């Protein structure tokens, strides 16, 4: 298949591109490089030993984006492109709605116009909000999101659900993924954001390599065994394989499906700190800070549907996630 991957040089997108190319699919990447680096493209070529068509385009730019649809005949789209920091979305909601919603509408309009019938949307567990009991099941539907980032994912799901009702030949898979961590086994792809990371494991990693002095732990008064928030951490390779399975499922099935991608296991912040210390053999200093706005207490997946529809199960545990993250950071210290 020829697949358009928006945000394909980002953390999740780049690992998914590897899986797509290694399974003999053809890929065209569109990325505006706001949350990614052009060096990733070279690393993708090294890993896969294949040429990749790349265009530096913002999905808000309808005219430039349509040129890509006119040049290629796509069998499917995997849509990653969007801003993703929970805290920033609370401070800059308009920025998030413009990028994550308006840009996506451009993409969907072009998909319909150019007869692309298969769409995989990289959604998020944040759409469950704080309304349901764990483990989160797809049948729960959409909750009350606690931040604008989550709302943008929720709005995209609503748009695609309504769109699917207008065309019986359209196939949409909404992937509600949980917390991706780790890095490629090649150590050429991983997550190393600039400044202070928004996500836990990259933050721990920067403390481990002495780039940051300590980890801020936001809240130790949650109703959890150690008082810190619990999340479902999934290895980035597992998550990428889930996207591969989803797009292959989409082309064989019509209609719309919502599918969780997670391990089904919850890990607290302090448990992850201990796992990283074990993997790196480095003491991670941390300070307890007040809870961060927009965060929820506990979040982990029910994984039965992914196993049933996609034959998807995760392979890696948190120790391997931490080890791969640390190895990537050591190799890529500036």
């Amino acid at each position: 298949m020829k697949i358009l991957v928006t945000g394909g040089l980002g953390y999740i997108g780049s690992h998914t591109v590897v899986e797509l190319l290694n399974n003999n699919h053809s890929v065209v990447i569109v990325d505006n490089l706001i949350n990614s680096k052009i060096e990733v493209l070279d690393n993708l070529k090294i890993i896969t030993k294949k040429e990749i068509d790349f265009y530096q385009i913002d999905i808000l730019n309808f005219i430039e984006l349509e040129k890509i649809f006119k040049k290629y005949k796509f069998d499917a789209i995997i849509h990653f492109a969007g801003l993703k920091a929970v805290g920033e979305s609370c401070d800059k909601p308009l920025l998030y709605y413009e990028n994550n919603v308006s840009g996506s509408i451009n993409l969907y309009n072009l998909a319909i116009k150019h007869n692309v019938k298969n769409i995989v949307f990289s959604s998020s567990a944040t759409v469950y909000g704080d309304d349901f009991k764990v483990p989160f099941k797809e049948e729960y539907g959409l909750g009350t999101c606690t931040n604008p980032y989550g709302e943008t994912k929720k709005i995209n799901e609503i748009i695609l659900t309504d769109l699917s009702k207008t065309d019986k030949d359209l196939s949409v898979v909404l992937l509600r993924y949980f917390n991706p961590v780790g890095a490629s086994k090649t150590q050429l792809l991983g997550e190393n954001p600039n400044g202070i990371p928004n996500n836990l494991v990259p933050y721990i990693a920067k403390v481990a390599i002495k780039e940051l002095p300590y980890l801020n732990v936001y809240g130790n008064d949650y109703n959890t065994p150690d008082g810190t928030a619990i999340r479902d951490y999934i290895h980035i390779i597992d998550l990428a394989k889930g996207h591969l399975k989803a797009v292959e499922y989409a082309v064989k099935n019509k209609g719309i499906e919502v599918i969780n991608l997670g391990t089904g296991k919850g890990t607290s912040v302090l448990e992850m700190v201990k796992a990283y210390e074990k993997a790196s053999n480095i003491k991670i200093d941390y300070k307890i800070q007040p809870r961060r706005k927009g965060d929820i207490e506990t979040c982990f997946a029910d994984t039965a549907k992914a196993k049933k529809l996609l034959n998807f199960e995760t392979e890696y545990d948190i120790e391997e996630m931490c080890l791969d993250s640390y190895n990537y950071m050591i190799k890529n210290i500036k």
Side-chain angles (χ1 to χ4, degrees):
M1 291 188 291
K2 183 167 287 293
I3 302 169
L4 173 63
V5 182
T6 69
L9 296 188
Y11 178 45
I12 306 174
S14 61
H15 285 82
T16 300
V17 166
V18 170
E19 297 300 326
L20 293 170
L21 292 174
N22 285 346
N23 283 271
N24 299 315
H25 297 298
S26 176
V27 170
V28 176
I29 296 174
V30 165
D31 197 304
N32 64 7
L33 300 180
I34 287 178
N35 282 328
S36 57
K37 297 179 175 67
I38 191 62
E39 293 81 10
V40 171
L41 182 62
D42 292 330
N43 288 340
L44 286 171
K45 293 176 181 178
I46 292 170
I47 293 169
T48 64
K49 297 179 174 59
K50 295 181 180 179
E51 286 300 311
I52 303 167
D53 291 342
F54 166 72
Y55 298 89
Q56 185 177 347
I57 296 173
D58 194 311
I59 59 172
L60 283 168
N61 190 330
F62 187 92
I63 294 173
E64 290 301 312
L65 190 59
E66 183 162 30
K67 291 178 182 178
I68 305 304
F69 278 85
K70 289 178 177 178
K71 184 173 182 178
Y72 299 94
K73 173 62 178 175
F74 294 116
D75 299 295
I77 297 168
I78 304 181
H79 180 29
F80 292 104
L83 300 175
K84 61 179 184 177
V86 169
E88 182 184 54
S89 77
C90 294
D91 296 330
K92 301 176 180 178
L94 288 178
L95 178 66
Y96 274 68
Y97 286 116
E98 180 181 31
N99 277 271
N100 296 5
V101 178
S102 297
S104 295
I105 289 172
N106 280 346
L107 182 70
Y108 306 148
N109 271 321
L110 288 169
I112 298 306
K113 182 177 179 180
H114 294 273
N115 204 35
V116 184
K117 298 294 188 180
N118 305 298
I119 301 173
V120 174
F121 176 60
S122 197
S123 188
S124 169
T126 58
V127 301
Y128 289 112
D130 204 10
D131 297 346
F132 309 112
K133 293 182 178 179
V134 291
F136 291 156
K137 302 176 186 289
E138 293 90 347
E139 64 199 51
Y140 288 163
L142 297 167
T144 304
C145 293
T146 58
N147 55 76
Y149 163 72
E151 286 288 353
T152 67
K153 292 292 190 181
K154 180 178 172 180
I155 292 168
N156 268 276
E157 288 202 15
I158 293 170
I159 291 169
L160 286 168
T161 299
D162 289 341
L163 189 60
S164 71
K165 296 173 184 176
T166 68
D167 186 348
K168 62 180 177 57
D169 292 323
L170 197 63
S171 179
V172 176
V173 180
L174 306 175
L175 292 178
R176 294 178 182 168
Y177 64 83
F178 285 66
N179 293 68
V181 297
S184 166
K185 298 295 182 180
T186 65
Q187 299 168 21
L188 291 173
L189 300 176
E191 188 174 22
N192 186 12
N194 296 324
I196 297 177
N198 293 291
N199 298 322
L200 176 62
V201 173
Y203 202 146
I204 296 173
K206 284 181 178 284
V207 175
I209 64 171
K210 310 303 182 186
E211 190 172 316
L212 294 173
Y214 57 85
L215 167 72
N216 283 315
V217 175
Y218 296 103
N220 66 343
D221 56 348
Y222 288 104
N223 185 27
T224 61
D226 63 18
T228 62
I230 289 175
R231 297 290 182 269
D232 187 338
Y233 297 95
I234 177 172
H235 198 293
I236 188 64
I237 297 174
D238 282 329
L239 185 58
K241 289 179 178 178
H243 282 79
L244 167 69
K245 286 178 176 288
V247 75
E248 291 178 342
Y249 175 89
V251 299
K252 297 176 182 177
N253 298 273
K254 303 302 179 185
I256 187 166
E257 290 288 353
V258 179
I259 304 174
N260 289 336
L261 291 181
T263 65
K265 300 174 184 177
T267 302
S268 75
V269 173
L270 293 184
E271 285 176 331
M272 185 59 82
V273 168
K274 291 176 183 176
Y276 211 100
E277 287 179 332
K278 182 179 179 182
S280 64
N281 198 30
I282 293 172
K283 176 67 176 174
I284 304 297
D285 292 326
Y286 64 86
K287 292 185 179 181
I288 303 298
Q289 306 289 356
R291 294 187 188 188
R292 187 171 54 181
K293 62 181 178 179
D295 282 346
I296 64 174
E297 182 173 278
T298 302
C299 174
F300 60 91
D302 183 298
T303 60
K305 191 173 182 180
K307 183 176 181 180
K308 179 181 178 181
L309 295 187
L310 305 183
N311 192 29
F312 173 77
E313 291 184 280
T314 57
E315 298 179 34
Y316 303 104
D317 58 21
I318 61 170
E319 286 77 16
E320 194 153 7
M321 298 176 205
C322 291
L323 182 60
D324 289 340
S325 167
Y326 180 66
N327 286 338
Y328 171 77
M329 292 299 287
I330 288 296
K331 184 171 181 178
N332 290 276
I333 290 176
K334 295 289 190 289

